[in-house]
Amino acid sequence: MRKKMLWGILIVGVIGGVFAYHKYTKIMAPNVPDTLENNMVYIPTNSSFSDVVEALYTNYQIIDTVSFREVSEMMKYKKSIMRAGRYKITPSWSNRALIGHLRAGNQEPIKLVLTHGWLLEDVAEKAAQFIEADSTDLVQLFYNEDYIKKSGYTTETLMSLFIPNTYELYWNTDERAFFERMVTEHERFWNTNDRLSKAEKLGMTPTEVYTLASIVEREISKDSEKKRVAGLYLNRIKIGMKLDADPTAKFATRDFKATRILYKHIRFESPYNTYLHKGLPPGPISMASIKSIDAVLDSEKHNFYYMCVDPDKPGYHLFAESITEHNRNARRYHRWLDNLEKRKKQQP
């Protein structure tokens, strides 16, 4: 009898050991492949648990879905709506390590790069390449007057919110979270390097500085000339002279690819066309780089009112104080341009 009891205990122990080992392997044995072609998993907002499993499996990021499901139940990871985000996965992770990582929401941040677009739609398209928010949702928010006016903007001035830079945030950022982050970054930008007081000394608001900077941005390709050109435009504003800025005519007509500004551009009726209207346009005509914004804030003090492309140094400009001097420079430039076009026509 005693011998039978010992055998029974032994059998139960063996069975229990096998069961425990099986359970241990489900939890602790590697379930992520030891090599990964893609070590990032994206879990969209409102994903179900099945969506998560499918994403991991179809991306070859887990080997066994059955054990993953079982351990998820044990670790209370499974929910009706799963935690969204972009997560970095390590090769050879166990179910426990992987689930613990996802459950804790340990997201891998992304670096969102904003560059120089002409329109709010360009900002939306660029941002949507990095975050979960769709470009359509971003555009709808940008043109939602009731929403953006709470932060002091209109659709005409909203471009001044966006400072071209690299921002670290999470992939599952929606359109409103993105907007609020840009508001925070905008305030941080203007509260550094004495920018607000510099704008005040110019008698301008940050939005007005940005608007002028957007013109400088699209007018000048050489950073070394930006402060001089900003000073030139400020001189024109002071005496009530029209800015006559080519980029504003491009923006007004939406002819962004134009290489020469023609009569049809400068006569196009729009409050943005500074060939027709004095002062600054109603808002920015483009995103403005930090260098262009600072060029306005630290603009050169001089007596130049006119500028023309330098035919001897394409990309640079000749500056003049008088219309007579400017007309001489302009004739040189147009002769050079005409000769250039003739040479192009003569080429086979």
Side-chain angles (χ1 to χ4, degrees), residues 117-129:
W118 285 93
L119 303 169
L120 292 173
E121 287 81 356
D122 298 327
V123 178
E125 183 179 354
K126 174 62 72 172
Q129 295 176 23

Side-chain angles (χ1 to χ4, degrees), residues 141-178:
L141 185 69
F142 295 164
Y143 286 99
N144 184 336
E145 290 276 10
D146 290 335
Y147 182 80
I148 64 176
K149 74 179 181 182
K150 296 175 185 176
S151 298
Y153 295 97
T154 64
T155 53
E156 290 79 17
T157 63
L158 183 59
M159 184 63 87
S160 66
L161 171 66
F162 304 108
I163 309 297
N165 212 335
T166 300
Y167 301 100
E168 187 175 279
L169 35 69
Y170 291 122
W171 169 76
N172 61 318
T173 300
D174 65 15
E175 61 273 15
R176 295 200 175 204
F178 172 73

Side-chain angles (χ1 to χ4, degrees), residues 251-303:
F251 181 84
T253 59
R254 299 298 195 268
D255 189 3
F256 300 126
K257 294 183 179 179
T259 56
R260 291 186 74 172
I261 298 302
L262 306 175
Y263 184 80
K264 67 177 183 178
H265 296 106
I266 64 177
R267 302 314 300 171
F268 185 86
E269 177 52 49
S270 167
Y272 287 90
N273 190 346
T274 58
Y275 278 97
L276 298 179
H277 302 282
K278 291 181 181 180
L280 292 170
I285 62 163
S286 163
M287 290 182 74
S289 67
I290 293 174
K291 285 186 177 179
S292 293
I293 296 170
D294 286 339
V296 174
L297 294 172
D298 299 316
S299 55
E300 270 188 28
K301 304 296 185 289
H302 54 60
N303 295 317

Side-chain angles (χ1 to χ4, degrees), residues 26 33 37 46 61 73 90 94 108 116 120 122 132 139 147 150 164 169 234 237 264 268 277 315 323 331 338 344:
K26 284 184 178 182
E37 291 185 10
N46 295 323
Q61 292 165 330
E73 293 274 8
T90 299
S94 65
E108 189 73 12
H116 320 304
L120 292 173
D122 298 327
E132 186 179 16
V139 169
Y147 182 80
K150 296 175 185 176
L169 35 69
L234 287 169
I237 290 172
K264 67 177 183 178
F268 185 86
H277 302 282
I323 188 63
R331 284 193 293 272
D338 290 340
K344 286 182 178 179

